[in-house]
Amino acid sequence: MYIFLAILLIAAMIATVAALVRGIVVFLQTTEADLKGEGPSSSAVKSNKAMQLRIFFQALAILIVVAILFVTGRT
C-alpha cells in the first residue's frame, strides 16, 4: 500500500510541475494584442486553466502525503 501511494505521490508531483511549466509558457506567449483586447483572451483562459490544474495537482499531492502519514501511523 505504501509503495502504491509513493508512486501516486511522485506522479502528482510530476503533474504539478508539468502544469506549472505549461502555464508559464502560455503566459509568456501572451502578445500585446491579447493585453489590449476586450475581455479575456484565449491565451489568458489557457493560462488560467493550466494554473487551476496546478492547484488541483498540488492539493492531490497533499492528500496523498496525508494518506501516507496515516498509513504509516504518523498522524
Side-chain angles (χ1 to χ4, degrees), residues 8-74:
L8 281 180
L9 178 60
I10 292 169
M13 291 179 348
I14 291 170
T16 301
V17 171
L20 175 64
V21 170
R22 182 172 182 242
I24 290 172
V25 167
V26 170
F27 176 74
L28 291 175
Q29 292 175 346
T30 303
T31 63
E32 189 174 335
D34 289 335
L35 296 175
K36 290 184 179 180
E38 291 186 25
S41 66
S42 64
S43 176
V45 171
K46 287 180 187 175
S47 180
N48 285 339
K49 292 288 184 184
M51 291 301 120
Q52 288 172 356
L53 267 176
R54 178 189 57 86
I55 292 170
F56 170 75
F57 289 132
Q58 278 181 305
L60 185 63
I62 290 170
L63 290 175
I64 294 170
V65 168
V66 169
I68 289 173
L69 291 174
F70 183 74
V71 167
T72 59
R74 297 181 187 169

